[in-house]
Amino acid sequence: MRLASLKKLFTWRKLPSELRYEDARRALESRSGALKRELAARPDAPPETLYYLAGDDDPAVRSLVAANRSTPIQADEILQTDADEEVRLELARKIARIVPDMPEDERENVRDRVMTLLEKLARDEFTRVRQIVAEEIKSCPTIPKRLAIRLAHDAEGAVCGPVLEYSPLLSEDDLIEIVATTRVQGALEAIARRRNIGGALTDAIVATLDIPAIAQLIANPSAEIREETLDNILREAASIEAWHLPLVMRPALSLRAIRRIAVFVSRGLVEELVRRHKLDPETEIELKARTQARIEAQAEAPTSDIVVERIRKAHEEGALGDDMVAKAASLQHRGAVTLALSLLAGVPEATVAHIIEVKSGKGISALCWRAGLAMRTALAIQIFVASVPIDARVLPRGGIDYPMEERELLWHLHYFGIET
């Protein structure tokens, strides 16, 4: 970074080791760039000198003033609006590091001004400035809660992530609200890594069906995962390889859960399951035998063509619904899912294929709504078939319902040329 380079460049000293006011004045009067930069970095520089240098034409000088802990708050307030991003970045790093260590007996006026300055830096247009603030104060319990909330709702994962993972100021209700509304890549994963996650927050994360976040949640030994919630995870886990290892490594699994996991994980993970959970020889033999039988059966698993025919036949018999479509989606049978949506919604397969191809989360949701399918099925299609990016996914409201009104759903159907 520029500041580090400057410190290396100006390690040699032209100012005396014991700086007097007259020395600082002469350095300013000399108009020497090297002297001003050295003076700007000196912790013993007079406050009025640092205030003067905060308005210097050289951004390198202003960066050094911004990083200097001896700089008076009045100068810091000027630098907060500096046009140079690097100046604001150095200021953010300094102020964010000062706040957690501010003594309780610090004058109220100074403390309030520092906090106000920190909040302004947390709204900086430059992502890196906000990121520095978030990283430095992520675990601080003494900042205003409104600041933690602001950073937790930031649109950049590099900013909201540290606060979502570590801030002690965010309540379970705060986090559940963020889980329900965020579209920021990595935000759910950060929440899933928090220590001592309660059952309600765990349920909210699982309801999103966000694969990386749930993988982090399963791998988090301090997260409370209720038996019913684990059942919901296991129902989807067979086709989601990213969950297999964390499930096997999950501590304190019941024998019932172990048996269910052994049904779909690899032979090597079954070995690890046996070892890690210290299963008795009889159970070990049973699980390994079942694993071998499954492997042999998978060699004869239905092809996509067979699944397509099953979809067509189920529709003719009036038996095509959420269970069959969601299962085809979880197995990533795109052709079968496309056919199912076409038949149920009365839409040409080419139109369905286009909506899936362009990764339109809202289009897929509207199509599933027209087809009479549940929002959870729409989410499964977004994740497993269309690979819709997380920030474009439409998530169930309350884990169940369509989050859009009928008028909006109809609008998205019209957008893709589907008449209603």
Side-chain angles (χ1 to χ4, degrees):
M1 294 187 61
R2 182 169 67 195
L3 183 62
S5 301
L6 286 169
K7 286 182 176 178
K8 290 180 180 178
L9 186 60
F10 298 105
T11 49
W12 54 271
R13 177 177 295 166
K14 288 188 176 181
L15 293 171
S17 57
E18 294 186 9
L19 188 66
R20 298 173 301 170
Y21 182 83
E22 292 78 10
D23 298 321
R25 181 172 54 81
R26 280 196 294 271
L28 294 177
E29 291 174 349
S30 73
R31 298 186 179 181
S32 164
L35 283 177
K36 286 194 293 183
R37 285 188 286 266
E38 184 182 344
L39 186 59
R42 288 285 292 261
D44 56 347
E48 54 268 40
T49 300
L50 294 171
Y51 182 86
Y52 178 81
L53 289 173
D56 195 86
D57 291 338
D58 184 357
V61 171
R62 302 198 305 275
S63 288
L64 289 163
V65 174
N68 193 333
R69 286 203 172 206
S70 298
T71 298
I73 184 65
Q74 296 88 344
D76 286 336
E77 290 169 337
I78 293 172
L79 293 169
Q80 184 269 318
T81 59
D82 197 283
D84 191 285
E85 294 173 350
E86 289 291 332
V87 173
R88 303 199 308 277
L89 190 146
E90 293 301 334
L91 179 65
R93 180 177 287 108
K94 178 185 71 178
I95 295 298
R97 286 177 177 174
I98 286 174
V99 166
D101 298 328
M102 287 185 73
E104 292 185 7
D105 59 353
E106 182 71 68
R107 285 186 298 128
E108 184 176 346
N109 178 51
V110 173
R111 188 178 186 86
D112 288 347
R113 290 175 75 172
V114 169
M115 289 296 184
T116 299
L117 181 56
L118 186 63
E119 292 192 58
K120 289 180 178 178
L121 290 166
R123 295 193 295 269
D124 196 279
E125 63 180 1
F126 186 35
T127 300
R128 182 65 179 144
V129 172
R130 305 196 309 277
Q131 180 182 355
I132 288 293
V133 173
E135 289 175 347
E136 294 295 339
I137 57 86
K138 62 188 178 185
S139 302
C140 182
T142 58
I143 63 168
K145 180 174 179 176
R146 63 179 179 272
L147 175 56
I149 292 290
R150 167 176 288 279
L151 291 169
H153 282 276
D154 196 276
E156 297 291 336
V159 179
C160 68
V163 177
L164 290 173
E165 183 173 350
Y166 293 106
S167 178
L169 300 177
L170 301 177
S171 68
E172 185 174 64
D173 287 342
D174 295 329
L175 293 164
I176 290 174
E177 179 187 353
I178 292 170
V179 167
T181 59
T182 188
R183 294 295 183 273
V184 180
Q185 187 77 33
L188 296 181
E189 294 171 66
I191 295 173
R193 287 192 294 268
R194 287 179 69 93
R195 289 184 56 80
N196 302 318
I197 296 176
L201 180 53
T202 291
D203 290 348
I205 294 172
V206 172
T208 68
L209 279 182
D210 183 277
I211 293 174
I214 295 174
Q216 291 288 346
L217 185 70
I218 300 167
N220 183 347
S222 68
E224 177 189 352
I225 302 181
R226 294 187 279 235
E227 195 70 24
E228 181 181 351
T229 306
L230 184 59
D231 285 343
N232 292 335
I233 293 172
L234 293 177
R235 271 196 289 271
E236 308 290 343
S239 61
I240 306 175
E241 191 171 348
W243 296 354
H244 292 187
L245 178 58
L247 279 169
V248 168
M249 303 300 286
R250 180 87 189 160
L253 289 172
S254 67
L255 183 56
R256 174 174 171 271
I258 289 172
R259 290 178 186 277
R260 292 188 64 184
I261 292 168
V263 166
F264 55 78
V265 298
S266 68
R267 183 186 282 110
L269 287 181
V270 170
E271 296 276 1
E272 180 62 24
L273 198 61
V274 169
R275 186 195 66 79
R276 184 170 183 81
H277 297 280
K278 298 180 174 59
L279 301 181
D280 60 80
E282 184 178 342
T283 304
E284 177 182 355
I285 292 170
E286 175 197 344
L287 294 185
K288 289 181 177 179
R290 290 169 62 183
T291 300
Q292 182 61 34
R294 169 171 52 86
I295 292 171
E296 293 172 358
Q298 284 175 342
E300 302 174 2
T303 64
S304 294
D305 290 340
I306 293 174
V307 177
V308 165
E309 286 307 311
R310 287 177 180 174
I311 291 286
R312 196 184 306 278
K313 184 177 180 182
H315 181 257
E316 291 171 355
E317 296 173 351
L320 181 59
D322 282 291
D323 289 345
M324 185 170 285
V325 178
K327 184 174 182 180
S330 68
L331 295 173
Q332 299 179 324
H333 287 304
R334 177 178 288 212
V337 170
T338 301
L339 175 63
L341 292 178
S342 172
L343 294 172
L344 291 171
V347 174
E349 285 189 63
T351 302
V352 177
H354 174 65
I355 295 172
I356 291 174
E357 186 65 31
V358 299
K359 304 180 186 300
S360 172
K362 292 183 177 179
I364 291 169
S365 299
L367 191 58
C368 288
W369 172 76
R370 178 184 170 102
L373 297 171
M375 184 59 212
R376 289 293 294 272
T377 302
L379 182 58
I381 294 171
Q382 291 178 73
I383 294 172
F384 303 123
V385 178
S387 299
V388 176
I390 186 172
D391 58 351
R393 289 178 196 165
V394 179
L395 305 179
R397 184 174 61 236
I400 300 173
D401 301 323
Y402 279 87
M404 297 181 286
E405 299 296 331
E406 181 175 342
R407 180 166 48 181
E408 186 178 357
L409 290 162
L410 290 172
W411 187 93
H412 286 287
L413 292 174
H414 285 302
Y415 177 83
F416 287 101
I418 301 171
E419 297 299 326
T420 56

